[in-house]
Amino acid sequence: MDTAPPRTADALTYRDAGEADVPALVALIESAYRGDSSRAGWTTEADILEGQRTDPEAVRDVIAAPGSRLLVVERGGELVACCQLEHRGEAAYFGMFAVRPGLQGGGLGRRVIAEAERLAAAEWGAREMHMTVISVRDELIAWYERRGYRRTGRMTPFPYGDERFGLPRREDLEFELLVKEIAPGLPDAP
């Protein structure tokens, strides 16, 4: 795992997560996607999924995985967002993205994803950012499209029956791959 010094931009601090961050990260991710607390923001999945979004083991796995980073985003020492970056050759995978529900809609998410793209291109030489989004999340997909991501039509099944990913309230869930070029104009490797 790469360990980078904290980077500050417009009062936001970005740093790699550690073991001590796990409980707060699980709480943040859960609050952004599940249960009544998630309804304070617009990224809630509460109408399509119940149960958990993540757990301490899954967060620890992301922190410990080779070629993976879990970025902690703080403002004034307070956790406000997080995201996963995973190095996959010429691409980077973006996931486990969460913004505190009461802070959603104010541009924080846009700043976090821009920093994640910058880091993936600068530190790994990634040319593309990949992510998967539940295909019925039209509003969320439209938000990513406004950030330059394009739908690929490449679907993977939702893991029905695996409660680690939540308890589906619908039968039509699947993930769609979204892709964005993040490092245009890089010369091809010799």
Side-chain angles (χ1 to χ4, degrees), residues 15-57:
R15 64 174 175 80
D16 290 327
E19 175 64 31
D21 297 306
V22 170
L25 287 166
V26 171
L28 171 67
I29 295 163
E30 290 295 312
S31 74
Y33 291 97
R34 298 289 198 275
D36 288 336
S37 66
S38 69
R39 294 182 192 282
W42 67 272
T43 62
T44 183
E45 295 172 346
D47 293 330
I48 60 173
L49 290 160
E50 295 176 332
Q52 73 177 31
R53 175 68 151 76
T54 195
D55 57 31
E57 181 181 353

Side-chain angles (χ1 to χ4, degrees), residues 33-164:
Y33 291 97
R34 298 289 198 275
D36 288 336
S37 66
S38 69
R39 294 182 192 282
W42 67 272
T43 62
T44 183
E45 295 172 346
D47 293 330
I48 60 173
L49 290 160
E50 295 176 332
Q52 73 177 31
R53 175 68 151 76
T54 195
D55 57 31
E57 181 181 353
V59 171
R60 283 187 190 97
D61 288 348
V62 169
I63 292 170
S68 176
R69 307 173 71 167
L70 185 52
L71 289 180
V72 170
V73 183
E74 296 172 318
R75 180 186 287 145
E78 186 177 351
L79 177 64
V80 295
C82 69
C83 68
Q84 170 193 12
L85 291 173
E86 183 179 313
H87 189 195
R88 296 183 177 177
E90 289 194 1
Y93 178 79
F94 179 82
M96 210 172 269
F97 184 32
V99 173
R100 182 176 296 166
L103 299 176
Q104 292 176 16
L108 179 59
R110 179 175 42 246
R111 291 170 55 195
V112 171
I113 198 168
E115 178 65 4
E117 293 165 357
R118 187 198 69 74
L119 285 170
E123 295 184 11
W124 293 333
R127 294 172 177 243
E128 290 184 336
M129 186 74 87
H130 294 185
M131 70 174 70
T132 54
V133 178
I134 297 173
S135 63
V136 299
R137 300 288 318 277
D138 295 329
E139 185 179 7
L140 183 58
I141 291 171
W143 187 85
Y144 285 121
E145 288 177 315
R146 291 190 300 274
R147 313 273 94 59
Y149 287 82
R150 65 179 170 75
R151 298 181 85 157
T152 65
R154 291 176 26 204
M155 304 293 189
T156 55
F158 185 86
Y160 285 92
D162 188 340
E163 292 185 10
R164 292 176 304 154

